[in-house]
Amino acid sequence: SVQEFLAALHVHLTFSKSGVNLMEEQQTSLWSKFFKQPNIYDLHQSAVDKALESPNGHLDLFLRFLLGLSLQTNQTLLQGLLTQTGSSSQTNQKTVQYIKEKISENQSPEKSINLFHCLNELNDVSLVEEIQQSLSSGSLSTDKLSPAQWSALVFILLSSGKDLEVFDLKKYSASEEVLLRLLPVVKASNKALLSDCTLYQRSCEVLSSVLSSQSSGLKELDLSNNNLQDSGLKLLSSGLKSPHCHLETLSLSACLITEEGCASLASALSSNPSHLRELDLSYNHPGDSGVKLLSAGLKDPHWRLDTLRVEPAGVRWLTPGLRKYSCQLSIDTNTVNRNLTLSDNNRKVTWEVQSYPDHPDRFDYRPQLLCRTGLTGRCYWEVEWRGEVFISVSYRRIGRKGFSIDHLFGRNDHSWSLDCSEVYGYSVWYNNRQTPISSSSVSNRAAVYVDCPAGILSFYRVSSDSLIHLHTFNTTFTEPLYPGFWFWSTSGSVLLCTA
C-alpha cells in the first residue's frame, strides 16, 4: 500500500505542477494545453477508466489514494508533501457522478466494491445510505434493485461484516440470479445457507470457483433441496479437490444425486482429503456402490471425514421439488373452536357457530384448531385459503382456555404463523413479533415445508403450480410440531389440499 500511495502522490504532484496527466496513454499536445485548462476531473476520469481495465485489480488501491488526495482536508494533513490544489466540490461531484455511472454499468462485483471505496474516499455515501435504510426498515425488495444498488448491498454486507458468520440467501431472494450477485459475500462467509433456492448447474460452477479461491473463508455449505444432479456435483467437485478448499461441512441432501455423482465426490475428496469432516447425502439415491465409495473415507486415515449421512435413500427421492415430502393432514376435531365448522370429510374449515361438546383440548374462545398427528422428519403440505387466516405450526402445549393473547398462534415462543390476507398480503409471526413480507402478488394457495431435525420452517405461496418463497425460520425445535390454523375474519376458510 506504500507503493500505491507513492505512485498516486507522484501522479497527483505531476498533474498539479505541470498539468501532465500521466494516466492518459497519449499525452495532450502543447497546442491543446494552450487552449484547454487542465482539470483534475480529467485525471480522475482517466484513472477510473484505467483501474476498470485492469484485469487483476492492481490499480484499485492506487485509485483510492489518488482520489483521496484531491480532498481539501487530506491536502491540509499532507501540506508538507503537496501543494494545496483546492479541488472544488463541484469538480469532485463530477467525479462522484462519473463513478456512479460506472457502477451502474454492471461491473464485476470486485470492481464495483472498489468503486464504492472510491466514493467513500470522496465522502459520498448516498447510494450506500439508500440501501442501508431499506435494510434497517426491512423494506428491501431485491426484485427492484438496479445494478448499482446491488453493488451497494454487497459493499454494505462486506464492510459491516453483517451476515458473514452465517449467510442465508433466502433473506434476499431464493434464486440463482441473486446468488451470482451476492457471490463475494458467500466467498467471505463462514457458513452459507443455500438450501431450497432453485439452484442448478450454473450455481455449482460459480461455487466451485469460490471453494478454489485462496481468499475464501467458507467452512460450511448447505445446498440441500436443490436440483443439482450428478452433473452439478461433478462441477462442484472440481472446487472440492482444490488445495485452497477448506470446507468442513457439506450438505447435499435431496439434490437428485446417484452413484455417478458419488463417484465424482469420492474422487475429489481423495485428492484433497484433509478438510471435509461432515457430509450429508440423505434423501438421494447413491446406490450400494456410492455408499461404499464414500464409506471407505470414514476408515481411511488420510481423510478427516467422521460423519456421513446417506439415509433415507432410494429412487423415490429423485423426484424434484418439495412435494416428495407431502404428508396427509387430519384435523383434531377435539381442538376445533365452536365458531368453526368442518365439511368435505373434515378437510374444509369455515366460520359457522357449532355446539361441540366440552373437551380439555378445545380452543374455547380463540377461533383456532390443531391437526391430530405430530410432524417428524421432513413434511410438506398445501392449503387453499380465503379471507384472512393464519397458517401455523405449534407445540402441543399451546393454551386452549381463555382470551389470553399468548394462546394465539405466532404470539408466543412455541408457535410460528404465516398471516395470509386478501387485503393486506403476507406477514409472519413468532413470539408476538410481526415481520411483513414483500410479495408482488397474493395467491389463495399456500405451502408449508418443515425439516424438524434441521429446525427449518418455510412458507410459500403457490402460483401456477410453482412455489414462491415467502419466509424461512431457522431455529431448533425442542418438541413435536402440529399444524394449526387461526381464523382472523368471519369470511376466512381453509381447505387441506392433496399436493
Side-chain angles (χ1 to χ4, degrees):
S1 59
V2 173
Q3 286 180 315
E4 283 86 354
F5 172 75
L6 292 175
L9 185 63
H10 172 64
V11 170
H12 180 88
L13 287 173
T14 301
F15 184 83
S16 300
K17 292 179 178 180
S18 64
V20 174
N21 183 352
L22 295 177
M23 302 309 296
E24 288 184 341
E25 289 187 8
Q26 292 185 335
Q27 295 301 314
T28 309
S29 67
L30 290 174
W31 182 257
S32 298
K33 286 182 187 178
F34 181 79
F35 286 101
K36 183 181 178 183
Q37 187 69 24
N39 191 314
I40 200 165
Y41 168 71
D42 298 324
L43 173 66
H44 291 166
Q45 185 177 358
S46 303
V48 169
D49 291 343
K50 281 286 185 187
L52 291 176
E53 290 169 5
S54 169
N56 56 9
H58 76 282
L59 292 176
D60 288 355
L61 269 178
F62 160 81
L63 176 61
R64 283 147 66 176
F65 280 128
L66 181 65
L67 295 174
L69 289 172
S70 69
L71 294 185
Q72 184 74 44
T73 51
N74 291 337
Q75 291 176 7
T76 301
L77 288 171
L78 299 171
Q79 56 187 342
L81 288 174
L82 49 83
T83 305
Q84 295 190 26
T85 60
S87 300
S88 70
S89 60
Q90 185 177 1
T91 300
N92 282 345
Q93 193 55 44
K94 282 182 67 179
T95 302
V96 164
Q97 191 55 43
Y98 185 72
I99 292 172
K100 286 182 177 179
E101 288 172 6
K102 290 298 177 182
I103 291 174
S104 68
E105 291 176 3
N106 234 344
Q107 306 289 342
S108 71
E110 292 78 12
K111 292 187 185 299
S112 292
I113 289 166
N114 189 59
L115 290 177
F116 273 99
H117 282 297
C118 292
L119 291 178
N120 266 356
E121 291 290 343
L122 295 169
N123 293 333
D124 185 277
V125 292
S126 54
L127 269 176
V128 170
E129 283 183 342
E130 177 187 339
I131 298 299
Q132 188 69 65
Q133 287 172 2
S134 297
L135 274 175
S136 301
S137 65
S139 61
L140 184 70
S141 178
T142 54
D143 57 348
K144 298 176 182 176
L145 293 185
S146 66
Q149 289 171 323
W150 273 114
S151 298
L153 177 59
V154 171
F155 180 76
I156 289 169
L157 295 177
L158 290 176
S159 301
S160 66
K162 181 180 172 61
D163 289 344
L164 294 187
E165 184 59 35
V166 178
F167 172 77
D168 186 353
L169 183 61
K170 288 196 190 77
K171 287 177 65 175
Y172 306 97
S173 180
S175 71
E176 197 162 59
E177 179 189 358
V178 173
L179 171 65
L180 297 177
R181 290 191 179 276
L182 296 181
L183 205 61
V185 185
V186 176
K187 187 176 178 181
S189 300
N190 182 58
K191 180 178 182 178
L193 302 178
L194 311 179
S195 63
D196 187 25
C197 285
T198 325
L199 305 182
Y200 300 98
Q201 289 185 38
R202 188 182 179 198
S203 298
C204 293
E205 191 170 3
V206 296
L207 288 170
S208 178
S209 69
V210 167
L211 295 175
S212 304
S213 171
Q214 247 180 312
S215 58
S216 175
L218 199 59
K219 295 287 175 52
E220 297 183 48
L221 178 59
D222 184 357
L223 285 164
S224 57
N225 283 316
N226 288 296
N227 299 343
L228 306 183
Q229 304 183 50
D230 295 331
S231 53
L233 183 52
K234 186 175 182 179
L235 292 169
L236 190 69
S237 295
S238 65
L240 291 169
K241 70 172 63 172
S242 166
H244 300 307
C245 176
H246 301 292
L247 199 68
E248 296 177 0
T249 302
L250 176 61
S251 178
L252 296 167
S253 178
C255 288
L256 312 187
I257 293 166
T258 70
E259 55 190 30
E260 181 184 341
C262 291
S264 300
L265 185 56
S267 173
L269 296 180
S270 295
S271 301
N272 182 21
S274 62
H275 61 94
L276 199 69
R277 301 179 64 102
E278 186 173 337
L279 176 61
D280 186 357
L281 279 167
S282 58
Y283 296 94
N284 286 293
H285 183 43
D288 292 340
S289 62
V291 173
K292 184 178 179 180
L293 278 171
L294 293 167
S295 296
L298 294 171
K299 303 170 187 175
D300 190 323
H302 297 102
W303 286 40
R304 286 190 70 197
L305 190 68
D306 55 33
T307 303
L308 173 64
R309 285 187 289 274
V310 294
E311 295 292 340
V315 176
R316 64 169 292 201
W317 302 117
L318 294 181
T319 304
L322 296 178
R323 290 188 172 101
K324 58 177 168 279
Y325 306 117
S326 292
C327 60
Q328 195 69 36
L329 301 185
S330 59
I331 292 170
D332 184 347
T333 56
N334 291 328
T335 67
V336 180
N337 176 262
R338 290 185 177 91
N339 289 307
L340 306 174
T341 187
L342 304 177
S343 59
D344 196 2
N345 292 322
N346 290 347
R347 292 174 57 249
K348 186 172 184 178
V349 188
T350 51
W351 190 290
E352 183 179 327
V353 177
Q354 299 293 313
S355 56
Y356 300 127
D358 289 339
H359 195 282
D361 292 341
R362 193 174 307 285
F363 291 96
D364 59 357
Y365 286 104
R366 299 298 188 180
Q368 300 185 146
L369 61 85
L370 281 172
C371 289
R372 178 172 288 114
T373 307
L375 305 174
T376 57
R378 296 180 182 180
C379 300
Y380 173 90
W381 64 95
E382 295 181 9
V383 298
E384 288 185 6
W385 61 273
R386 294 289 186 275
E388 182 169 3
V389 298
F390 287 69
I391 300 169
S392 314
V393 294
S394 172
Y395 296 155
R396 187 80 184 175
R397 60 183 165 91
I398 189 168
R400 317 296 174 91
K401 309 301 179 184
F403 277 110
S404 172
I405 195 171
D406 190 57
H407 297 172
L408 292 169
F409 294 132
R411 303 301 175 92
N412 47 60
D413 64 358
H414 44 271
S415 63
W416 298 257
S417 274
L418 172 69
D419 178 6
C420 305
S421 169
E422 293 176 331
V423 177
Y424 302 109
Y426 301 101
S427 64
V428 289
W429 286 82
Y430 172 68
N431 207 12
N432 206 27
R433 180 179 177 183
Q434 181 185 28
T435 303
I437 296 172
S438 175
S439 181
S440 56
S441 62
V442 174
S443 64
N444 287 106
R445 195 173 178 112
V448 185
Y449 167 70
V450 181
D451 185 338
C452 298
I456 296 171
L457 168 62
S458 294
F459 294 105
Y460 304 82
R461 65 180 177 90
V462 184
S463 178
S464 302
D465 216 35
S466 297
L467 299 183
I468 294 89
H469 178 260
L470 295 173
H471 189 83
T472 290
F473 290 102
N474 290 288
T475 184
T476 300
F477 299 124
T478 57
E479 301 174 35
L481 292 171
Y482 292 81
F485 303 96
W486 167 22
F487 296 79
W488 174 263
S489 67
T490 56
S491 62
S493 70
V494 159
L495 174 66
L496 303 180
C497 303
T498 302

